[in-house]
Structures are given as structure tokens and as C-alpha cells.
Amino acid sequence: MRLPIITVVAFALLSLGQPADANPQLAAIPGARANMDLLAPQPFQSRAFAYPHELTIALPASYAAQPGRKYPVLWVLDGPLMTRAVVGILDTLVIGNHAPEMIVIGIGSPAKDGLAGVGRRIVEYSPQGRGYAPPGLAGEAWAKVAPIPDFPHRADDFLAMLIDDLRPRLAARYRFSGEHTLYGHSAGGMVAAYSIFQRGAFQKVILGSPYLAGVDGAVFKAEAAYAKRHKTLPVALFIGVGGGEVDEWFLAASNIVSSTASFAETLHLRGYAGAEVTTRIYSDEDHYTVVPRVIGDGIRHLWRDEARKLGSSWPARPAADQTR
């Protein structure tokens, strides 16, 4: 059987007792796993909601081998749909030295509840406001095919659960470094964007195809209110959206692409001190196929400085060869 080249190189270096700097970061950590330790899903009952949520936690490959080390935390909304994708992509980025190790925590409805459970996100991710649809013509189109009766808007309760209740509980159990990042897709992107102005509890945020025009433009209203009181916005923000979403009728009615562009432009024009905003429109992707690209590019971009310090995961050319 022919082994992959990376395996051959790793065996050769380890046999010489020289993991070296220019190799996968995990190779230099005795006892490290080959991948993240994806724990069994855990139920979580908050004081704010009558029903349980489910946590999916993945610990870094070096977590058990380095008991004194603390790690940044990447929080993932819509846990049953998104967490495993994040973990798989992060595993690959870590082995290639494109990202540092981090703890991943997915939160969402219990997977056994199916899409009916996922549907509760409409309540949990909606800021205070009117209805659920975007304003104007898009909202009129939405109402023709997906009218939604009045419902409680509980984004503030959800963020309080995440930040004030769940975070300290898990910080007492796992080794958090104090750096927290939030990733949300679609409606998850709405509440993640809203959190920037309402709570300011995450140093980094990744938004994938965010539903920013929802609830009659509640995120834009939150940003406008924030701008009246603040000149600084200490967050590094990566936003990605599929260009193909423009040509999907219902996503056009959701204003996904146009609101993403408008949101990014607004933040640039405000000129907030401390804000870093990077936007990518993936012309050949739709609302679903864009997910791995947003996750991968978002992590690579937001942790690019840390990755640069790690260097290449491949052995360097011998010094003698460099003079030829």
C-alpha cells in the first residue's frame, strides 16, 4: 500500500526525532490526537427557554496532551446543521497550519427534534421588531408565499443565554483563552450581526449568507442606534454570500445579497475605529454550497496572523539547494 506523501514525511521526521517548525503544528506535540475530539451531544436547559437546547463540543487535538494550555472558542449557531462542517474544515486547516487550534461549541435544537426543532430559530434569532420579513417590495413578495403569524422575538433572550448563562458555565469546565468568535449562517447570521451592536461580546464574527433585512431591517436599525452613541466598534468581521442567491426567487425576496452588500458598505462608511470588515461574494455558489467556503475562508482570514507565525506545514528546502 502506498502511503500519502504527508504521512511519509511525518514518519521520516518523527523517526529522526525532529518534528521541526516547518511541519504540521500537531507533530510537535507528543500525545496529540490526529483530529479534534468531538464529544457526544450534551443537553442544555436554560432558565430563559422552556425547551432544551443541545451542545456539540469539539476539543482541540492537543487539548488532553497540553493540560496547561488555553484555547480560543468558536461558537457555532444552528449546531445540528453546522457544527460538524466547522469541525471537519478546521481539522484540515490546523493540520495545514492555516489556523491555530480552538475549541468549537455548537448550539441549537436537539438533532432528534428534526427540522421542526430547527424551526424554533425564527423565534430565537429575531430581534425586537415587526414581523419576520424584510421591508418594502421584498416583504410583499415574502407574504405571498410564507406568511408568518405574530410570534415572540427573543434574540435578546437567546444572546443572554449564550453569553451570560452558557459561556461562564462552560468556562468553568473547559480551558477558554478569553477570545470568542461567533459564526452564524442565514437567520443565524442575523442574530450574530445583531449581537455586534447589542452585546459586543465577540471579538470576531463570521456571517454566512446572513438574513440581515429580516424583521423589517432590525439589524440595520440596531446599527443606526449604535452609531449615534459610539465611534468605535472593536470587532473583526468576515462576511460571505453566494452570488447565485440573487437568482433564487425566494432568496431575492429575502434580500440576502443586497442587504449583505448594504451592511458591509454601511460599516465601511461609518468608519468605526477598531472595526475590520471583509466581504466576499462567491459568484458560483448558492445559499448552501457557500457554507464550506465561508467557514474556511472566514477562519483563514480572521486567524491569518496566527497562521503566519506557524509557518509552512511542509519541510523547507535544504539550505544547500537554495544556492543552486
Side-chain angles (χ1 to χ4, degrees):
M1 180 179 67
R2 180 172 297 176
L3 294 175
I5 183 63
I6 189 171
T7 305
V8 174
V9 171
F11 281 167
L13 290 167
L14 289 173
S15 67
L16 293 172
Q18 300 175 351
D21 291 335
N23 283 279
Q25 55 190 294
L26 298 178
I29 304 172
R33 293 167 52 92
N35 58 7
M36 297 185 74
D37 186 7
L38 186 59
L39 307 182
Q42 307 173 25
F44 173 72
Q45 181 62 60
S46 72
R47 294 183 291 270
F49 293 92
Y51 49 84
H53 288 79
E54 185 172 84
L55 306 178
T56 305
I57 299 174
L59 300 178
S62 70
Y63 191 86
Q66 298 192 123
R69 181 178 173 184
K70 296 183 178 181
Y71 299 82
V73 183
L74 174 55
W75 298 84
V76 178
L77 302 180
D78 290 315
L81 300 180
M82 296 295 174
T83 306
R84 287 178 296 178
V86 172
V87 171
I89 292 169
L90 182 57
D91 266 334
T92 304
L93 294 178
V94 166
I95 200 68
N97 286 3
H98 290 296
E101 292 189 274
M102 60 191 82
I103 296 170
V104 174
I105 302 175
I107 181 169
S109 59
K112 65 179 179 59
D113 290 352
L115 292 183
V118 173
R120 291 196 289 263
R121 67 207 290 270
I122 291 178
V123 170
E124 297 176 356
Y125 295 169
S126 291
Q128 289 298 315
R130 186 178 63 185
Y132 190 67
L137 180 62
E140 295 173 13
W142 180 295
K144 294 176 183 178
V145 296
I148 297 177
D150 290 340
F151 64 95
H153 293 64
R154 304 197 62 187
D156 291 306
D157 292 332
F158 180 83
L159 291 174
M161 175 187 73
L162 188 67
I163 298 163
D164 304 326
D165 189 1
L166 184 57
R167 183 187 289 184
R169 289 198 204 188
L170 295 182
R173 190 186 315 171
Y174 301 104
R175 301 193 303 272
F176 292 179
S177 70
E179 179 187 289
H180 294 273
T181 301
L182 184 61
Y183 163 58
H185 187 81
S186 194
M190 174 169 61
V191 72
Y194 177 69
S195 77
I196 296 172
F197 312 108
Q198 195 68 12
R199 296 300 305 262
F202 299 92
Q203 293 93 340
K204 299 174 181 176
V205 176
I206 301 173
L207 306 180
S209 296
Y211 181 46
L212 298 173
V215 191
D216 199 34
V219 169
F220 288 92
K221 293 174 182 177
E223 186 280 329
Y226 181 93
K228 291 180 180 179
R229 307 187 305 273
H230 301 87
K231 299 298 183 182
T232 62
L233 186 65
V235 66
L237 176 62
F238 182 91
I239 315 171
V241 64
E245 298 181 60
V246 172
D247 296 321
E248 171 57 51
W249 183 87
F250 187 69
L251 297 178
S254 302
N255 284 167
I256 297 291
V257 176
S258 60
S259 65
T260 294
S262 180
F263 180 70
E265 290 169 348
T266 297
L267 295 183
H268 284 299
L269 294 174
R270 294 286 189 203
Y272 289 114
E276 176 195 316
V277 181
T278 301
T279 310
R280 297 284 183 270
I281 298 177
Y282 299 93
S283 60
D284 55 342
E285 308 292 358
D286 65 25
H287 197 67
Y288 300 101
T289 62
V290 78
V291 168
R293 299 191 69 176
V294 172
I295 294 169
D297 288 354
I299 292 173
R300 289 183 65 186
H301 180 76
L302 294 179
W303 281 276
R304 62 193 182 280
D305 292 338
E306 292 85 345
R308 193 175 297 117
K309 295 175 183 177
L310 292 171
S312 173
S313 62
W314 300 104
R317 176 185 293 181
D321 289 353
Q322 295 181 24
T323 60
R324 292 178 182 176

